[in-house]
Amino acid sequence: MTLGLPHAHHRVCDSTNDLAKKLAEAGAPHGATVTTNEQTAGHGRQGRSWVAPAGDALLMSVIVRPVLPRHSLASLAAGLAVAETCEQLRNLSARIKWPNDVWIEGRKVAGILVEARPEAQAEHSWMVVGIGLNTSVDMRHMPADLQETAGSLALPRGTDALTPLLDRLTRWFAAEEPEVVDAWRERDALRGSRISWSSGAGTATGIDNHGNLVVALDDGTTETLAAGEVHLSLD
Ligand code: BTN
């Protein structure tokens, strides 16, 4: 079902995810979308913050309800939608660092934060999918610690990235899990790379059918990592 209506746009807000969660709690329908030019308290994954210079990034959150079994891979599906949007807007190739950082030429151009209402009965369940996509960010305006790792699509300011993104999200949220997994594997940026996390290190070998990352450890065994549990570093 189509996403993007109703649409609330703010000049500035704390976090589009926070606003969308409040709207979802208040009964906003499937597809309701919040965007802003600027966030004062943008959230990233694993408790990190998300920063983007005002007016140079697409900052959006969309409500999906109810949450269906096929949405178990929504975070991966959203990564596919963002990667395809990047390729539609620019003639370039986008890959995904597990679980859903979108990379272009080794730099992160987009991040995705999915937050769900956990305890709800199926028919009252919802999730908010928040996306920050650097569309026209000048890296000199980013915090120093991000200047070497963040990227941008280098689009003219004001380019409409929301319309193609909502179209791609609609397509991928309707897909069944095997299709999401197959398409995601085609864009896997980590496969074959040495990675480490707080309690281990090894070589990423891909994702399993549930979207978990499979890592070959140096002792010949494998470990399966679930998204949200680990913060990965590339060695
Ligand atoms: C990450 O890579 O850590 C996820 C970043 C998600 C950022 C987006 S920006 C729009 C939406 N509102 C937020 O507060 N976070 C998400």
Side-chain angles (χ1 to χ4, degrees):
M1 281 211 300
T2 305
L3 306 170
L5 290 173
H7 177 191
H9 179 74
H10 299 260
R11 193 182 63 74
V12 57
C13 71
D14 51 2
S15 154
T16 57
N17 262 37
D18 287 352
L19 290 181
K21 284 189 286 181
K22 281 186 199 134
L23 289 173
E25 277 296 342
H30 174 78
T33 298
V34 180
T35 54
T36 191
N37 287 348
E38 182 179 1
Q39 290 183 134
T40 55
H43 304 302
R45 292 177 56 242
Q46 295 170 323
R48 293 188 295 266
S49 59
W50 183 261
V51 286
D56 289 327
L58 173 62
L59 304 167
M60 66 86 75
S61 301
V62 60
I63 296 169
V64 174
R65 73 189 315 162
V67 180
L68 302 171
R70 68 167 185 271
H71 292 138
S72 66
L73 296 184
S75 135
L76 273 63
L80 289 171
V82 175
E84 288 185 354
T85 301
C86 292
E87 292 179 352
Q88 196 171 323
L89 292 167
R90 288 284 317 274
N91 184 21
L92 39 71
S93 155
R95 306 216 294 157
I96 308 175
K97 179 192 169 217
W98 182 85
N100 57 17
D101 289 351
V102 178
W103 276 11
I104 288 170
E105 291 166 355
R107 286 174 172 265
K108 177 170 171 172
V109 298
I112 297 164
L113 177 64
V114 179
E115 299 185 273
R117 182 184 183 189
E119 80 294 350
Q121 294 164 281
E123 68 267 32
H124 298 303
S125 60
W126 53 257
M127 64 180 176
V128 164
V129 180
I131 296 170
L133 170 61
N134 295 338
T135 45
S136 52
V137 173
D138 180 336
M139 284 308 135
R140 291 170 299 185
H141 300 153
M142 288 292 263
D145 60 326
L146 295 178
Q147 288 184 4
E148 296 306 315
T149 55
S152 169
L153 291 180
L155 291 166
R157 232 179 178 212
T159 302
D160 176 20
L162 180 63
T163 304
L165 178 58
L166 288 168
D167 175 72
R168 296 290 82 202
L169 287 169
T170 302
R171 183 256 183 274
W172 281 109
F173 288 156
E176 297 297 333
E177 285 122 313
E179 195 188 357
V180 172
V181 168
D182 285 350
W184 197 97
R185 285 181 176 139
E186 297 286 314
R187 295 187 180 274
D188 186 348
L190 284 186
R191 196 183 168 121
S193 301
R194 289 285 303 177
I195 56 168
S196 58
W197 62 101
S198 57
S199 60
T203 303
T205 64
I207 57 166
D208 67 15
N209 291 341
H210 308 289
N212 302 307
L213 184 69
V214 183
V215 186
L217 305 181
D218 296 335
D219 64 5
T221 62
T222 58
E223 182 149 343
T224 302
L225 306 177
E229 287 179 7
V230 288
H231 175 56
L232 290 183
S233 308
L234 270 168
D235 295 344

